[in-house]
Amino acid sequence: MTKMPDTSRQKIRKAHVLIVEDQPILREKLVELISSEADLISCGDTDNPRSAIDLIATAKPNLVLTGLALQESHGLEFIKDMRARYPRVPVLVFSMFDESLYAERAMRAGANGFVSKHGPTNDLLCAIRRVVDGGIYLSERVTGHAMQQFFARSSFAPRSEADQLSDRELEIFELIGQGRSSRQIASALHVSAKTVETYRSRIKTKLKLNTATELAQHAWEFLQHATSRRARKHQAV
C-alpha cells in the first residue's frame, strides 16, 4: 500500500521579515503577529535606519517592513538608501501617513507596496505575502488615485500643492501644520534649525507665500484637509 507523505512533519520554508518601526509597542506586536504565521517569521527589528542597513546584511530578510516616521531619518530616505545598497530586497511601507500623499512617493523611492496602519490586519499579511512573492501591493483607493493623477498629468492639469514639494519639504510642511517651531522640527529630524529655515523658504517660494504667518496658516489648513479626507475615506469603507 502506498503511503501518503506526512505533510504535518514537513517544515514550511518561512519568509524572513525585517521590521523597521519607530514605536516600540507596535514593533513588538508586529514581531508577534508575523512570527505567529505558519509561512512568516521576524528575523530582526529596529527603529533606526542605520541599524536596519546593517541588519539586512546579517539577517538576509526576504522583505523589509518599514514605517515612515523613523529615528534619525525619514522612511523615504531610508528606502532610497536601502535600494542603493540592496536593490533586490523588497520593501513594504506600513504607515499611518496619508496614503494618497505618500504611497506614490514611497513607490518612487523604491518601495514595492504601501499599507495603511488604519487598515485591517489581514491587509498587512496579504501585502507581505504578495510582495514576498514578487508582486506589488497598493490599496484600491491608492490605485484609483494614481490613475487619476496619471491622466491629470497627461492632460497638463496643474499639480497639487503636495506634488510641488519634495519628500523632505512635504514632511516639514506637515510638521509646520502641526504647530511645531523650527527648533522643534530640527530636533525631530536631527538637522540644524538653519536647515529647517532653508526648507521653509523653499516651501514659501514654491507655494507663493510671503510670510511665516501665511505659511503656518496654509500648512494648518492643508493638514486639516488631509485629516478630514482620510476620515471620510475610512467612514466609507
Side-chain angles (χ1 to χ4, degrees), residues 20-23 47 66-76 94-97 117 171:
V20 189
E21 166 59 43
D22 184 57
Q23 301 177 42
D47 63 354
T66 182
L68 291 181
L70 302 175
Q71 295 289 337
E72 298 186 9
S73 174
H74 192 275
L76 294 178
F94 182 51
S95 176
M96 63 182 296
F97 286 9
K117 287 182 178 178
E171 181 182 15

Side-chain angles (χ1 to χ4, degrees), residues 11-72:
K11 289 185 178 180
I12 299 175
R13 186 175 183 276
K14 297 188 177 187
H16 289 62
V17 180
L18 175 63
I19 300 166
V20 189
E21 166 59 43
D22 184 57
Q23 301 177 42
I25 295 178
L26 178 56
R27 195 165 65 247
E28 291 177 10
K29 293 296 183 182
L30 287 171
V31 170
E32 292 177 6
L33 172 66
I34 290 171
S35 296
S36 69
E37 297 295 304
D39 57 336
L40 304 173
I41 188 168
S42 169
C43 63
D45 64 276
T46 181
D47 63 354
N48 189 299
R50 293 182 183 178
S51 297
I53 293 294
D54 294 334
L55 280 171
I56 292 171
T58 57
K60 299 185 178 353
N62 301 108
L63 171 76
V64 172
L65 179 67
T66 182
L68 291 181
L70 302 175
Q71 295 289 337
E72 298 186 9

Side-chain angles (χ1 to χ4, degrees), residues 100-101 103-105 107-108 142-160 162-164:
S100 65
L101 293 177
E104 184 179 351
R105 289 173 181 266
M107 301 299 282
R108 287 203 304 261
V142 170
T143 303
H145 178 75
M147 291 298 293
Q148 290 177 344
Q149 291 291 95
F150 172 78
F151 286 114
R153 284 194 290 267
S154 299
S155 303
F156 300 100
R159 297 195 303 168
S160 69
D163 287 339
Q164 296 178 56

Side-chain angles (χ1 to χ4, degrees), residues 194-237:
K194 184 177 180 180
T195 297
V196 174
E197 288 299 328
T198 298
Y199 277 111
R200 290 173 67 102
S201 179
R202 291 179 186 173
I203 295 169
K204 285 193 294 183
T205 299
K206 288 185 176 182
L207 301 185
K208 297 180 172 57
L209 304 172
N210 297 315
T211 67
T213 301
E214 287 182 3
L215 174 59
Q217 179 64 25
H218 209 68
W220 183 84
E221 291 174 353
F222 174 84
L223 201 60
Q224 294 305 304
H225 176 71
T227 302
S228 175
R229 179 178 57 204
R230 187 162 56 241
R232 288 197 301 271
K233 286 180 179 178
H234 290 297
Q235 288 175 356
V237 174

Side-chain angles (χ1 to χ4, degrees), residues 171-191:
E171 181 182 15
I172 290 175
F173 188 54
E174 290 193 334
L175 291 172
I176 292 171
Q178 294 173 14
R180 300 201 196 187
S181 67
S182 292
R183 181 165 297 186
Q184 289 172 327
I185 294 173
S187 177
L189 301 182
H190 302 280
V191 298

